[in-house]
Amino acid sequence: MTEKNIRIDYLEFSSMEELAPEDRELALAAVQAIKGSYAPYSGFNVGAAARLSNGRIVIGANQENAAFPSGLCAERTAMFSAGASYPGEDILSIALAAGSDGSLTHDPATPCGACRQVMAQYQSKSGKPMSVIMVGSGKIWKFEKVDDILPLIFDSI
Ligand code: THU
């Protein structure tokens, strides 16, 4: 028997100003994207912004539905929109932000498991690391690749 470890490195920033310009632009786009959230059931508003290899930013926001499973998270809304509109481009980075009643969460909101799996798929499709930026009002986290938030990724088929 051998004991093994998985190590996760990430960066924590205390404000948007600390981010590199491209990351700051994406983080701000995620915050702006919250405006498109339709969350009458949870009251939890989420915005996401994906940066593509052509430099474009594609946004998404959570969309809820009375038949609960029919809704979709902000991150997947952004990634599927990017995939549908720009099929030849890679998603190089994605940022998300969330809040309720008009204010951002202090600690960054973290993506759900299904969104992580979809990130993993687009990262695998592009063959390049996809960075993930989680924005809170008091902290911002940056993970350099999806593997860091989804260790032991399933991509075997
Ligand atoms: N939500 C997202 O948009 N992204 C996530 O990664 C987790 C959760 C949304 C789904 C639902 O509309 C609301 O947040 C509460 O779960």
Side-chain angles (χ1 to χ4, degrees):
M1 195 266 275
T2 317
E3 190 175 317
K4 304 264 192 180
N5 285 294
I6 295 173
R7 178 181 152 153
I8 296 176
D9 293 309
Y10 64 103
L11 300 171
E12 182 174 286
F13 303 86
S14 52
S15 73
M16 294 255 192
E17 288 67 47
E18 283 183 17
L19 293 172
E22 279 213 332
D23 289 345
R24 190 182 317 135
E25 185 187 23
L26 200 65
L28 282 168
V31 173
Q32 288 295 312
I34 293 175
K35 289 193 192 121
S37 164
Y38 174 58
Y41 303 102
S42 71
F44 191 64
N45 305 112
V46 188
R51 181 178 296 284
L52 310 188
S53 44
N54 62 5
R56 276 181 190 271
I57 291 176
V58 176
I59 61 160
N62 59 329
Q63 306 296 317
E64 296 185 353
N65 192 279
F68 279 7
S70 306
L72 196 64
C73 292
E75 303 91 307
R76 274 177 287 164
T77 306
M79 288 185 282
F80 292 155
S81 176
S85 300
Y86 304 99
E89 303 297 329
D90 299 324
I91 301 175
L92 300 179
S93 185
I94 187 163
L96 68 135
S100 44
D101 300 322
S103 35
L104 276 187
T105 57
H106 178 270
D107 286 0
T110 53
C112 78
C115 288
R116 293 177 199 212
Q117 185 65 38
V118 172
M119 289 173 193
Q121 184 82 26
Y122 284 111
Q123 177 179 265
S124 160
K125 178 176 177 251
S126 81
K128 297 180 198 112
M130 183 194 299
S131 61
V132 184
I133 299 166
M134 306 174 194
V135 183
S137 62
K139 289 176 191 168
I140 300 166
W141 293 332
K142 180 176 182 183
F143 296 80
E144 297 293 350
K145 55 190 184 306
V146 178
D147 315 54
D148 294 333
I149 56 167
L150 189 61
L152 309 177
I153 288 175
F154 171 75
D155 64 354
S156 356
I157 56 163

